[in-house]
Amino acid sequence: MTRVNLRVYGSLRSHLTEGTPRCVCIPDGETVGELCDRLGLCRENVTVVFVNSQKAALDHRLSDGDRVSLFPLVAGG
Amino acid sequence: MSDLRDKIAEHAYETTAPNGEEILVVDLAATERIACSFETQRRRVEVAALQAGIVPLRYERNLGTLGNQGQIALLEARVAVVGAGGLGGTVSELLARIGVGEMVLIDPDRYEESNLNRQLHSLEDNLGRDKAQSSRDRIGEVNGAVSVTSHVCRLDQENAHGLLSSVDLAVDCLDNVADRLLVAEVCASLGVPMVHGAVAGTMGQVMTVFAGDGELGQLYGSQDKGGGSHGAEIHLGNLATTVAAVASLQCQEAVKIITKTGEPIRHRLLLLDLALGSLETVDLS
């Protein structure tokens, strides 16, 4: 199993299952997109992904200890 | 010029700065009178005073951080504020207070009641008025030395080059993706740096983009892709707290670029979420 630290921002938080931990265990080799599916987040709403403070795509494969930040699109002024 | 400096020196007086240092200052009333008698702009008087080591009193609390040269650079700068709503209202107010000499304000909209929760220059008695013109009027009250041009229009493919061609810097205070990408494209072609800011609920983001940097496109996708022009703010709305925080960060980026000090948030994205009390900078390079 791979353990990742999860940070979910803004409106995405309201789509998370209540009690979702900050540290989640996922099968080895899982991608960010698959993690979103597991969390019940619609991939279309996850417009910006950072893994360890580096921009990443939904097909990025996660490694043990990764810090994953998921953001919605922010465009208001 | 020496006549002008002599006149400024004549009106200058010594005062004790907060750090105990004795400094020569010239006050607002004197700079106004001198500008009037020399038939010049007040900020020209302020620049001449700073060049002579005399501090315009209104900027006295700036100089410990900015220094005389930094203040002169700000007074001589011309900044476009694209969008005069939430971010734009606060950005223009802060830039006027810190002493940016010239501003170009661009916004096609008029104030509506739903703006009152966050747009600094919207008032109960100016609903229905043009935002760009209202901000220009307000800036005149805050700092009459600032030259402001207001354009009540949406920035588009036809007018963008003309509106942005003579500015040193553009601040993106827009409320949609498509217009942001247009401003970024035009700024890149003109070699004008752009300070991006956006808000949604308690979330905000800030980034500085120089000509040739592609991070805004990376963040929002290319203009050709189109897609949604709005983001999470459609559901979350916009709060005055987040707007003020992001506008403040944008203004500090502008100050850093104009005064060539500090380290702009370049090739990085600063993200804040006031609900979590979190502020992080992520690498986009």
Side-chain angles (χ1 to χ4, degrees), chain B residues 113-169:
Chain B
E113 195 167 333
S114 61
N115 301 149
L116 288 169
N117 78 318
R118 69 194 186 283
Q119 300 193 11
L120 187 62
H121 299 161
S122 67
L123 304 167
E124 290 182 3
D125 66 2
N126 72 2
L127 300 181
R129 278 208 67 205
D130 295 318
K131 295 182 180 182
Q133 290 182 358
S134 299
S135 287
R136 185 193 62 190
D137 294 347
R138 168 66 179 173
I139 291 167
E141 292 172 342
V142 170
N143 188 347
V146 181
S147 300
V148 186
T149 313
S150 59
H151 298 276
V152 182
C153 62
R154 182 176 178 181
L155 192 131
D156 58 28
Q157 289 281 3
E158 293 199 352
N159 64 19
H161 276 84
L163 291 171
L164 300 177
S165 62
S166 63
V167 303
D168 301 305
L169 171 75

